[in-house]
Amino acid sequence: MAEFMSKNPIITSIYTADPAPMVHDGVLYLYTTHDEDQLINDFYTMFDWRCYSTTDMVNWTDHGKIFGLDDIEWADDRAWAPQCIARNGKFYLYCPVHKTGGGMAIAVGVSDSPTGPFTDIGHPLVDEGDWNDIDPTVFIDDDGQAYLYFGNPELRYVLLNEDMVSIDESVGVRKIPMTVESFSKGSHMTGTTYGEGPWFYKRNGLYYMVFAGFAEGEKRNEHFGYATSEGPTGPWIYRGVLMEEGPCFTNHPGLCDYKGHSYLFYHTDELPGGSLFHRSVCVAEFAYNEDGTIDTIAKCDGVDGIE
Ligand code: FUB
């Protein structure tokens, strides 16, 4: 291994999953979930969100807990896959949680700093009363319109108002057609590969939807697939497998460009003591093809450091 190289998993002090990178003011911030060591009911036991940052992809600063279930009065469980975005000098952390007495819903934490602490807005942003409202991914388009996609087993979206903490109620929650053309034939509940963990962004005028998915047949763990579109709300065209299925049941993509390099963050169960409920975040470097497509990215030992 080269001297100036990170080693996967990149966080080794605790179990972390669902990596969500955000580049801001020359720093790469990585938001993650946190798998507790001690499980309750032998299931995902997750109470808070964490943040780490780097400027060289090798040395990571641990900013600790930046938001948690104990900051959200109306939620009682499941601090699941978040994403953070900056707008107008503030930072917005979108987080799936279990609503007390309800189903899954999407919370928003607001902060003046990328490393928190975040303050809950006091109520769910999205709460359809079902279990689909998980794994938010947020993006602000060039015209200023912000989109929040989410969902398992269906991909849905809302338009965010400029305040980033309310939605355009005249549009409401829109459902993306779960077709084979968009997400390929697969074994999840819609009959496509789309599972959960969408990651939405735009690059060189092309919109990307990367997601955790379930293939047909014997395969049981999640892989990554991706679709592209000419517009922010589709139609989405399936483009292929971005990362083959891993060693643990779930996976969650987080992509960004940083200092001229492109990175895919994901998770495995590869820390000592790892399991499907004790995951650890990893990173791989990749390159886009000239036409914007991406070849399948291999899991790796780590990435080179950068200046
Ligand atoms: O980590 C909890 C849930 O498992 C996430 O919300 C999903 O994306 C999957 O990783």
Side-chain angles (χ1 to χ4, degrees), residues 17-18 33 44 46 80-81 96 134-135 196-197 222 250-252 267 279:
D18 306 315
T33 54
Y44 298 101
M46 303 167 70
W80 284 5
I134 70 167
D135 294 359
E196 56 184 357
E222 288 180 339
T250 64
N251 205 346
H252 193 290
H267 67 234
R279 300 160 293 176

